[in-house]
Amino acid sequence: MRKPRDFDAELKALSDKAKALKDRRLVQLGELAVATGADALPVEVLAGAMLAAAQATDAATKEGWRKSGAAFFQRSARGAGGGNAGNAGGDAANNSGAKSAAADARPS
């Protein structure tokens, strides 16, 4: 006879994992703000810039931001001295999907 599933334990595990992912996302957003120098801006200015970026509808503007962001990650990957800078930039670009809404307002 099979052992019954413990749905409560599974739900709690999923909830804990979701919380950990949200916490990690917040930490990464903070790290991104520091890495870009945005932490030097007043909070109101940074919030206003992020709101404007999130509400932007011009595709050309967003593409320019995307290229600038990709170049930033490639520069920082090379500057880290990693032997596999191309892969590090790709990983950063893939992970930036979680950061994009608040950090650089890039659509997913």
Side-chain angles (χ1 to χ4, degrees):
M1 182 171 199
R2 284 190 342 181
K3 180 180 174 184
R5 289 176 69 174
D6 187 355
F7 290 111
D8 290 334
E10 289 180 28
L11 285 172
K12 180 166 179 5
L14 286 173
S15 176
D16 292 345
K17 185 173 182 177
K19 184 180 179 333
L21 288 172
K22 286 179 184 179
D23 291 345
R24 182 174 153 209
R25 180 177 176 217
L26 286 174
V27 168
Q28 288 177 336
L29 284 168
E31 290 172 351
L32 182 62
V34 171
T36 60
D39 61 326
L41 295 171
V43 175
E44 295 83 4
V45 173
L46 182 58
M50 289 171 34
L51 286 170
Q55 295 170 355
T57 57
D58 182 31
T61 301
K62 288 183 178 182
E63 179 62 16
W65 291 338
R66 188 199 64 76
K67 287 180 181 179
S68 178
F72 170 79
F73 284 117
Q74 288 175 352
R75 277 192 312 270
S76 62
R78 280 188 222 123
N84 196 358
N87 188 27
D91 289 346
N94 290 339
N95 290 337
S96 68
K99 301 176 214 173
S100 65
D104 61 1
R106 237 183 2 187
S108 301

